[in-house]
Amino acid sequence: MCVYALAAPNCEAFLEFAYSGDWLGFGYLDTHVWRARAVSATCLTCFPLSSVDAIIAREPRAKEKLSDAIEREFALVRRAALARDPPTPSSGSRRSY
């Protein structure tokens, strides 16, 4: 599977490849922010969200994938928030009215 994010409209930016035995689809958001496309014949096994804790308890690679996914999702959400409300040059606790 090729897992990617859209860099711009109609432009795919490569993120990573998932191979046989790899875990994908982890994260903390309610919806997936990354897309995936099979690049060869592929068979996936889907697990319910409620099984994530049990999976990462038994699979060190799954725990790494979850950690990486959360880090990338947090960065994505942060960039989106900064784009909506960019920081101002004035910092500190003093406000002028």
Side-chain angles (χ1 to χ4, degrees), residues 25-82:
F26 288 127
Y28 76 95
L29 298 174
D30 291 334
T31 58
H32 292 289
V33 295
W34 310 116
R35 298 170 183 223
R37 178 174 292 160
V39 293
S40 64
T42 304
C43 180
L44 298 175
T45 303
C46 297
F47 295 93
L49 186 58
S50 60
S51 65
V52 170
D53 289 336
I55 292 169
I56 64 170
R58 287 183 299 223
E59 293 281 337
R61 284 187 351 205
K63 189 172 186 176
E64 276 182 45
K65 288 287 191 175
L66 176 62
S67 178
D68 292 345
I70 289 172
E71 194 172 310
R72 285 193 304 260
E73 287 178 352
F74 181 81
L76 181 76
V77 169
R78 182 179 185 279
R79 282 193 304 270
L82 288 174

Side-chain angles (χ1 to χ4, degrees), residues 76-97:
L76 181 76
V77 169
R78 182 179 185 279
R79 282 193 304 270
L82 288 174
R84 278 191 319 271
D85 190 20
T88 59
S90 62
S91 60
S93 59
R94 192 179 297 178
R95 292 183 179 181
S96 57
Y97 295 97

Side-chain angles (χ1 to χ4, degrees), residues 7-18:
N10 301 322
C11 179
E12 296 172 0
F14 167 77
L15 181 63
E16 69 180 354
F17 279 103

